[in-house]
Amino acid sequence: MPDIVTERLVLRDWRESDLRPWAAINADPQVCEHLGPVWDEAQAAASIARYREAHRRNGFGYLAVELAARGELIGLAGIDPVAPTMPFSGVEIGWRLARSAWGHGYASEAARAVLDHGFAEVGLPEIVAVTLAPNLRSQAVMRRIGMTHAADLDFDHQPEPDGPVFRHVVYRIIRPTA
C-alpha cells in the first residue's frame, strides 16, 4: 500500500525498526488506560504481525504513524473490520499515539487522512469508532473529524463473567456525497 502523507505525518506499513518504539508506546499505562492492559515487547510484535496480516487480507488496516520531519514513530491509525464480538458490523477507525504526541492535533490529522482513504480509496459507505465512555480524549477526536455519536449503538461489555461491565460509546460518519 502506498503511504498516506499529511502535512506533518506519514501513515505507512510497519517496519522491523518500529518494534521497540511501538512496544514502549504500549507499555505506557496512560496510553493504555482505556485500551486494556499494557503490553510487553512480544505482545507488541504480535500486534504488528496481526496488523500486517489484516492489511494483506482486507486491503486496509492499521498503519504506523510517524512524524514526517523526524521519521519518528508516534503510534498507529487505520481502519479495520469491527470485531465479531461487537453488537454491530462495519469498519472501525482507530488510533493510538505515544503520550508525547498528545495535544498536537496528530490524532485528528491522522484520523482525517484515514477517513479520506476509507471513503475515497476503499469505497466504504460508513465508518464507526468505538471507545469506552470515560475516554473523553478519543471522543473529542471523533467529533473533530466529523463523526457523530450513534447512541443507538452504544453497548455494555463484560469481558469476564463475574467482572465489571464497561460502557462503550459509538460514533459514526457516512461517506460524504460529492
Side-chain angles (χ1 to χ4, degrees):
M1 175 181 148
D3 294 346
I4 299 172
V5 180
T6 70
E7 182 180 334
R8 301 178 296 164
L9 306 172
V10 177
L11 286 69
R12 58 163 175 76
D13 197 9
W14 293 87
R15 302 177 184 145
E16 284 194 32
S17 60
D18 294 329
L19 177 56
R20 285 233 162 105
W22 180 238
I25 290 167
N26 288 284
D28 183 333
Q30 284 186 279
V31 169
C32 295
E33 178 182 9
H34 301 290
L35 302 169
V38 297
W39 295 349
D40 61 24
E41 193 166 303
Q43 290 167 308
S47 73
I48 291 172
R50 282 192 312 273
Y51 304 148
R52 286 178 170 160
E53 170 56 26
H55 193 274
R56 186 197 61 73
R57 184 179 58 249
N58 301 319
F60 56 84
Y62 291 114
L63 301 169
V65 176
E66 71 176 32
L67 292 176
R70 294 192 298 228
E72 172 190 350
L73 180 81
I74 60 166
L76 72 64
I79 51 176
D80 201 43
V82 169
T85 56
M86 295 284 191
F88 51 86
S89 61
V91 173
E92 175 182 8
I93 189 171
W95 50 85
R96 181 179 303 191
L97 298 181
R99 196 163 15 116
S100 62
W102 294 1
H104 301 281
Y106 298 139
S108 297
E109 185 174 331
R112 281 187 195 98
V114 168
L115 285 178
D116 290 346
H117 177 77
F119 291 139
E121 304 301 322
V122 180
L124 298 170
E126 172 186 82
I127 297 174
V128 298
V130 179
T131 193
L132 289 171
N135 190 349
L136 301 179
R137 293 178 70 94
S138 279
Q139 290 177 59
V141 171
M142 293 168 193
R143 288 188 300 276
R144 275 195 295 276
I145 64 172
M147 301 185 96
T148 56
H149 185 200
D152 59 312
L153 297 178
D154 290 355
F155 63 97
D156 293 325
H157 178 63
Q158 185 176 23
E160 309 278 329
D162 294 327
V165 174
F166 298 99
R167 185 70 177 166
H168 288 71
V169 294
V170 181
Y171 281 69
R172 72 161 48 115
I173 187 169
I174 308 295
R175 179 176 56 217
T177 55

